[in-house]
Amino acid sequence: MEGGGRPSAAQAVVLAASTAITGLLYSIYRQKARVARGLEGARKVQLDGDLRAVLLEAPGRCVPYAVIEGVVQSVKETLSSQFVENCKGVVQRLTLQEHKMVWNRTTHLWNDYEKIIHQRTNTTPFDLVPAQDSAGVAIRVMKPLDAAELSLETVYEKFHPSVQSFTDVIGHYISGERPKGIQETEQMLKVGTALTGVGELVLDNSTIKLQPPKQGMPYYLSSLDFESLLQKQESSVRFWKILTVVFGFATCAVLFFLLRKQYRHHRERQHLRQMQEEFRQAQERLMNAEGGEILKNACVVCLSSTKSCVFLECGHVCSCHECYQALPEPKKCPICRQGITRVVPLYNS
């Protein structure tokens, strides 16, 4: 604690940072909890012949947040893999990623660094249909790239190491960057993949569409079943809740520590004022007593010897040399409790 009982700058920064982190974690926890509650309350809809009737009876022919499970089926054309034969899909993502080592001047270590140098995503319209296409019901999936958990399968992956000459190696050590190579990846959402879609279900003319909800809830296209997806979100909620509680306890501990320090400082100040008042009253009694002129210069500790020391830096003259030597370490002035840095002898002529 600084003078006056105020927290030091470091303590104030720790308290402010801990409070800010706790608030941020609590905000994330509330958002995750809201998503989990919304997902738990989503309406489960079956992909059967009654789906159209359900939407006709719904307000605005819309279910604001619905869960639907089906199999991916292309509407017109399918996308073919560039590297794998007979691999068809409706979403294709091609990625070129650079891998290199970068010298960290602080830790003096080589760290892995990855950077996407090119990425292209191709899509084609597709539907979700029942696993056994008997009812002829299909749901058109809108804006699949906006989904929170779009399940893409890696169908091709190859690493192309960089070829380096001796001169290149020397140059890399001087520049602090050592290229490792280029990784080529192809991901696809294959035709026939089982998906769980969570979003807004709407009947538009004769087409049933699954699209991002308008209420701020997340849009899902996941290969997990609904129960697994819900458990995953609940696990995320528990994780952020535990983090919030831990940092909340840490914030309370820091605050308790600072308040305790301030309370102890306040008690010390009260004790100091009480001692000063007792010294003042003792001096008044000495001044009013018989022989007060003689005892006026008496040591405030032993009240028998004459004051013979000037305490610096406070400047008080209140003790004899013997009582000064008897003061406990670190030596402090009996009047103001300030640390004694130097003692000057007092000579009375």
Side-chain angles (χ1 to χ4, degrees):
M1 303 289 286
E2 293 180 344
R6 295 186 301 273
S8 65
Q11 292 170 343
V13 169
V14 170
L15 180 60
S18 180
T19 304
I21 293 174
T22 302
L24 177 62
L25 293 176
Y26 180 70
S27 175
I28 297 175
Y29 159 70
R30 288 198 60 180
Q31 180 183 1
K32 297 289 184 180
R34 182 179 67 87
V35 170
R37 287 194 302 268
L39 192 60
E40 188 175 3
R43 182 175 177 180
K44 296 182 181 179
V45 180
Q46 299 295 328
L47 250 176
D48 53 24
D50 297 332
L51 179 57
R52 192 176 299 274
V54 170
L55 291 174
L56 287 172
E57 294 176 358
R61 297 184 176 184
C62 171
V63 178
Y65 208 47
V67 179
I68 196 77
E69 295 181 352
V71 175
V72 174
Q73 177 181 282
S74 62
V75 176
K76 296 180 181 179
E77 299 179 353
T78 58
L79 300 174
S80 299
S81 171
Q82 293 187 4
F83 305 98
V84 182
E85 294 183 1
N86 300 324
C87 183
K88 305 291 184 179
V90 292
V91 179
Q92 179 188 48
R93 179 170 294 162
L94 301 170
T95 305
L96 289 178
Q97 190 173 34
E98 179 186 15
H99 293 260
K100 62 182 177 180
M101 303 288 287
V102 178
W103 177 255
N104 191 317
R105 301 183 185 276
T106 303
T107 61
H108 299 285
L109 296 172
W110 289 96
N111 298 327
D112 288 325
Y113 177 79
E114 299 177 357
K115 178 183 178 182
I116 295 178
I117 57 179
H118 178 72
Q119 188 175 77
R120 186 177 79 249
T121 303
N122 303 319
T123 61
T124 186
F126 67 95
D127 294 338
L128 288 181
V129 298
Q132 296 178 354
D133 193 5
S134 58
V137 179
I139 296 179
R140 182 67 49 83
V141 178
M142 310 301 295
K143 299 181 179 180
L145 299 182
D146 292 346
E149 293 190 12
L150 181 60
S151 300
L152 298 180
E153 179 183 351
T154 300
V155 297
Y156 177 82
E157 188 174 22
K158 186 175 181 180
F159 183 77
H160 303 276
S162 59
V163 179
Q164 303 175 18
S165 64
F166 179 76
T167 306
D168 294 334
V169 172
I170 298 300
H172 296 157
Y173 272 98
I174 295 175
S175 63
E177 293 187 359
R178 292 165 49 191
K180 297 173 62 178
I182 303 295
Q183 182 172 342
E184 191 174 15
T185 306
E186 182 182 24
Q187 296 173 299
M188 295 191 71
L189 178 59
K190 293 182 179 180
V191 174
T193 303
L195 282 186
T196 299
V198 184
E200 183 183 66
L201 203 60
V202 60
L203 178 61
D204 185 8
N205 296 326
S206 61
T207 305
I208 303 176
K209 297 181 179 180
L210 179 68
Q211 58 190 18
K214 299 183 178 65
Q215 300 176 349
M217 297 299 291
Y219 180 39
Y220 292 102
L221 288 175
S222 175
S223 58
L224 299 174
D225 59 83
F226 178 69
E227 295 300 328
S228 300
L229 183 62
L230 182 59
Q231 290 178 4
K232 182 178 179 181
Q233 297 304 317
E234 291 175 346
S235 298
S236 177
V237 171
R238 287 193 295 269
F239 171 77
W240 288 105
K241 182 178 181 180
I242 291 173
L243 277 184
T244 303
V245 171
V246 169
F247 275 87
F249 274 118
T251 302
C252 293
V254 173
L255 182 61
F256 174 77
F257 172 78
L258 295 180
L259 291 178
R260 181 171 174 269
K261 284 285 187 180
Q262 191 170 11
Y263 173 73
R264 291 179 61 182
H265 181 80
H266 177 69
R267 290 290 300 272
E268 290 178 358
R269 293 289 298 274
Q270 282 187 331
H271 182 64
L272 175 60
R273 284 195 294 267
Q274 182 180 357
M275 291 181 61
Q276 290 175 341
E277 181 64 22
E278 291 176 356
F279 277 125
R280 186 185 64 79
Q281 292 176 1
Q283 288 177 345
E284 288 179 355
R285 288 194 299 269
L286 290 174
M287 290 294 296
N288 296 330
E290 184 179 357
E293 290 298 327
I294 299 176
L295 295 176
K296 180 178 179 181
N297 293 323
C299 171
V300 299
V301 179
C302 64
L303 300 179
S304 59
S305 301
T306 304
K307 301 174 183 178
S308 60
C309 298
V310 179
F311 296 152
L312 300 178
E313 301 292 334
C314 63
H316 283 121
V317 181
C318 59
S319 171
C320 63
H321 187 264
E322 289 77 9
C323 290
Y324 161 72
Q325 291 182 330
L327 291 175
E329 296 290 343
K331 298 183 184 299
K332 295 182 179 181
C333 174
I335 301 298
C336 65
R337 306 301 296 171
Q338 184 175 342
I340 301 174
T341 59
R342 191 158 59 96
V343 177
V344 178
L346 180 66
Y347 300 100
N348 293 320
S349 58

